[in-house]
Amino acid sequence: MKKQLLLLLIAATTLFAACNNDKTATTGKFSITEKPFGKFENESITQYTLTNPAGMQVSIINYGGTVTNILAPDKDKIMGDMVLGFDSLPGYLQKGNPYFGCLVGRYGNRIAKGKFVLDKTAYQLPLNDHGNTLHGGTRGFDKVVWKANKPAGDSSLRLTYTSKDGDQGFPGNLSVTVVYTLTSDNALQIAYSATTDKATPINLTNHCYFNLSGGKEPTILDHEVTIYADKYTAVDSLLIPTGQLPYVKGTPMDFTVSKKVGKDIDSVKGGYDHNWVLNRKGTGLDQVASIYDPGSGRLLEVFTTEPGLQFYTGNFLDSTLKGKNNQVYVKHAALCLETQHFPDGPNQASFPNTILRPGETYRHVTQYRFSVK
Ligand code: GLA
């Protein structure tokens, strides 16, 4: 009898502990843990860590919907963190944070002179990049607090944000949802959706800085890159598209066959910071790029529903930022793979449409699939 009572007590205590443990949601196969990550404008910032059964981990904070860490094994099963970032919130809040890991919106990339005309009305956005607008203005989606929740029984983190009519000069109340999902086969999926009550330009993306060596190699110049694109959007000296879509074949922009980032980079003024016109048909999820680090054996394959990819080789990193584990981020310390619509879409009639209208839903899915070979 005593033994039965004891067992009952143990069972009840375990159940109570499980119900009370609101900091850890376990689905059986996956877990999502939460950790306080400081305060911004009186709002609590939380770091959420998604872990899959294979042990891969992705951490995200609700400030800027920023991916702070992606941990996956190398060919010797040693875990390493594959993204640049900071150990604590002040790092992310500092002025010189070059969009590490964040969500970018309303309009990722550049809008020439911050101007566009939509349905006969002219709009002016804040100018934050040499007289142009970059990544949604002075306070884009990377600098706001997103509302986070964990859908029950899921391996996802769901972030929502409402950008008010007139926010950064853009028209319409825009409701945005971004769902980060870590899959059992080591893919990080980012699913974006949005609706508006007035027509507005939209171009959402993520700005992770990848270095697949997991902190072992100071630059990505030895990473081998393939981009499934025969053309790219030519740009002027301020990286505004000219409207021309030159073929890459036989030029330093040619990544149709895998080559090291460093092979031709010196022939491209400033380094790679261009939008490739992806060879995609339709609107499904297609593989558009792959990045291989021979040193660690890590492979990153990028799949997206978007028509473009900004391949940026960390050209503006200049050793002034001290990141995680006191790492100094030198020029080309990492590369970004920003799946997107083309830069300056609202001013370029020949580019794929970037205007979202009331009654429509913006959708974009990107997967970063990690493995070793
Ligand atoms: C994008 C741009 C780059 C640079 C980075 C942030 O990738 O294309 O020119 O502004 O963001 O530093």
Side-chain angles (χ1 to χ4, degrees), residues 98-99 109-110 129 134-135 207 209 239 273 310 312 316 336 338:
Y99 299 90
N109 219 310
R110 292 164 178 83
D129 190 63
L134 175 68
H135 294 335
H207 214 297
Y209 280 69
L239 302 178
D273 191 0
Q310 186 82 8
Y312 167 60
F316 301 122
C336 301
E338 303 156 57

Side-chain angles (χ1 to χ4, degrees), residues 49 65 67 82 86 97 121 126 131 140 187 210 268 286 298 314 327 340 373:
T49 298
V67 175
M82 291 175 290
F86 303 102
N97 171 11
T121 305
F210 297 101
V268 181
D286 290 326
R298 289 197 183 91
Q327 283 183 73
Q340 60 179 8
K373 72 169 191 186

Side-chain angles (χ1 to χ4, degrees), residues 294-316:
S296 65
R298 289 197 183 91
L299 175 70
L300 163 57
E301 293 167 296
V302 184
F303 288 69
T304 192
T305 56
E306 287 294 284
L309 177 76
Q310 186 82 8
F311 173 52
Y312 167 60
T313 46
N315 313 328
F316 301 122

Side-chain angles (χ1 to χ4, degrees), residues 121-141:
T121 305
Y123 293 91
Q124 178 66 58
L125 313 173
L127 306 176
N128 59 341
D129 190 63
H130 309 284
N132 300 308
T133 301
L134 175 68
H135 294 335
T138 42
R139 192 174 179 179
F141 293 177

Side-chain angles (χ1 to χ4, degrees), residues 276-335:
W276 268 257
V277 177
L278 300 169
N279 295 343
R280 301 186 55 248
K281 290 177 200 81
T283 53
L285 189 68
D286 290 326
Q287 182 166 5
V288 297
S290 83
I291 318 292
Y292 178 61
D293 171 36
S296 65
R298 289 197 183 91
L299 175 70
L300 163 57
E301 293 167 296
V302 184
F303 288 69
T304 192
T305 56
E306 287 294 284
L309 177 76
Q310 186 82 8
F311 173 52
Y312 167 60
T313 46
N315 313 328
F316 301 122
L317 299 174
D318 58 4
S319 305
T320 52
L321 287 175
K322 222 190 225 168
K324 286 182 263 186
N325 303 316
N326 283 325
Q327 283 183 73
V328 173
Y329 294 141
V330 301
K331 188 173 182 181
H332 307 314
L335 53 85

Side-chain angles (χ1 to χ4, degrees), residues 26-295:
T26 312
T27 60
K29 293 195 219 141
F30 294 89
S31 71
I32 305 179
T33 55
E34 288 181 33
K35 194 174 104 181
F37 205 71
K39 277 204 164 210
F40 172 67
E41 294 179 349
N42 276 328
E43 292 200 68
S44 297
I45 306 302
T46 303
Q47 185 178 51
Y48 299 86
T49 298
L50 283 57
T51 306
N52 74 1
M56 181 173 163
Q57 289 196 327
V58 176
S59 299
I60 298 151
I61 54 172
N62 53 327
Y63 174 76
T66 302
V67 175
T68 57
N69 310 74
I70 301 182
L71 275 82
D74 67 6
K75 59 180 183 227
D76 300 320
K77 300 195 166 58
I78 315 262
M79 298 298 268
D81 189 348
M82 291 175 290
V83 289
L84 269 47
F86 303 102
D87 290 317
S88 58
L89 190 60
Y92 290 97
L93 299 179
Q94 69 186 295
K95 212 161 174 261
N97 171 11
Y99 299 90
F100 279 163
C102 60
L103 295 174
V104 181
R106 254 183 224 204
Y107 200 95
N109 219 310
R110 292 164 178 83
I111 295 183
K113 299 191 169 60
K115 287 184 196 303
F116 61 92
V117 175
L118 179 53
D119 298 337
K120 298 194 178 125
T121 305
Y123 293 91
Q124 178 66 58
L125 313 173
L127 306 176
N128 59 341
D129 190 63
H130 309 284
N132 300 308
T133 301
L134 175 68
H135 294 335
T138 42
R139 192 174 179 179
F141 293 177
D142 57 298
K143 294 182 184 65
V144 301
V145 180
W146 291 67
K147 200 162 167 245
N149 63 67
K150 302 173 286 185
D154 209 340
S155 59
S156 302
L157 181 72
R158 188 172 179 273
L159 300 174
T160 52
Y161 180 69
T162 302
S163 167
K164 294 259 154 57
D165 189 7
D167 180 17
Q168 300 297 296
F170 287 101
N173 292 294
L174 183 75
S175 305
V176 187
T177 300
V178 176
V179 181
Y180 282 108
T181 305
L182 176 60
T183 68
S184 55
D185 52 358
N186 287 5
L188 172 62
Q189 172 173 289
I190 314 178
Y192 309 77
S193 58
T195 54
T196 184
D197 58 6
K198 274 187 202 163
T200 179
I202 183 166
N203 193 24
L204 305 179
T205 191
N206 173 277
H207 214 297
C208 274
Y209 280 69
F210 297 101
N211 181 324
L212 302 185
S213 77
K216 293 216 170 109
E217 292 293 330
T219 76
I220 44 70
L221 295 174
D222 280 338
H223 282 32
E224 296 168 7
V225 172
T226 316
I227 303 175
Y228 304 131
D230 293 334
K231 296 178 185 179
Y232 70 103
T233 47
V235 287
D236 68 14
S237 61
L238 294 178
L239 302 178
I240 299 295
T242 60
Q244 277 356 87
L245 303 180
Y247 282 96
V248 296
K249 195 141 189 74
T251 77
M253 308 301 280
D254 191 353
F255 285 96
T256 52
V257 176
S258 170
K259 75 174 176 200
K260 284 196 189 296
V261 174
K263 180 163 182 282
D264 298 326
I265 197 168
D266 291 340
S267 326
V268 181
K269 203 165 173 263
Y272 295 106
D273 191 0
H274 298 78
N275 172 66
W276 268 257
V277 177
L278 300 169
N279 295 343
R280 301 186 55 248
K281 290 177 200 81
T283 53
L285 189 68
D286 290 326
Q287 182 166 5
V288 297
S290 83
I291 318 292
Y292 178 61
D293 171 36

